[in-house]
Amino acid sequence: MSDNHFAYFIETLETLENLLHAETQAIAARTLDTIDDIMRQKDVCLKSLLSAKELLSHDPRNNQLANEKIDFVMNLQSRNAASFTKLKDQVATKQNPKVSGKVNSTDKARDTYLGN
């Protein structure tokens, strides 16, 4: 594994982690515009991460540091997805308590989560 390529992969993974932490805060603050902005940044970062992975000669899961970081990021993404789903449901209920599953402004972000 090239040290430069591995370092780039880890750096990109850490960038994704930072975005996920920011997303956690935005979800807690219920700032939908910020959540949407962060999701766009995550899309770009994920593309970079996949490109960085392609540069590696070995599976990053075979490296303990990378494996732990990947697991952490995946768990953080899962928690954010669950938190966002709860937020989306709360917003939908507030907007129209008689209609569950109503299409609203958070559906784009929800669809992004379901696609990840």
Side-chain angles (χ1 to χ4, degrees):
M1 212 178 290
S2 166
D3 288 340
N4 288 338
H5 292 156
F6 183 74
Y8 176 67
F9 176 81
I10 293 296
E11 180 181 323
T12 307
L13 192 57
E14 288 173 346
T15 299
L16 180 59
E17 180 182 341
N18 290 335
L19 286 168
L20 287 164
H21 286 301
E23 184 179 58
T24 299
Q25 293 174 345
I27 292 169
R30 306 173 74 116
T31 53
L32 298 179
D33 289 339
T34 303
I35 295 167
D36 197 45
D37 289 342
I38 292 169
M39 285 183 176
R40 280 194 281 279
Q41 293 175 45
K42 280 178 26 186
D43 286 344
V44 171
C45 188
L46 283 169
K47 287 177 186 174
S48 295
L49 187 61
L50 290 174
S51 294
K53 183 180 180 262
E54 291 299 318
L55 296 173
L56 300 176
S57 58
H58 295 91
D59 184 352
R61 288 290 195 167
N62 294 331
N63 177 284
Q64 183 178 354
L65 171 70
N67 191 47
E68 289 172 2
K69 285 189 175 290
I70 291 167
D71 285 343
F72 183 78
V73 165
M74 290 179 69
N75 287 331
L76 189 53
Q77 172 64 33
S78 293
R79 283 189 290 157
N80 282 1
S83 295
F84 181 79
T85 299
K86 288 178 188 174
L87 173 61
K88 182 241 174 226
D89 291 345
Q90 290 170 356
V91 168
T93 300
K94 277 187 176 181
Q95 286 179 349
N96 191 350
K98 294 181 182 178
V99 179
S100 63
K102 179 183 174 197
V103 174
N104 59 51
S105 63
T106 59
D107 281 344
K108 178 182 182 261
R110 181 181 178 279
D111 289 344
T112 300
Y113 270 119
L114 292 176
N116 288 334

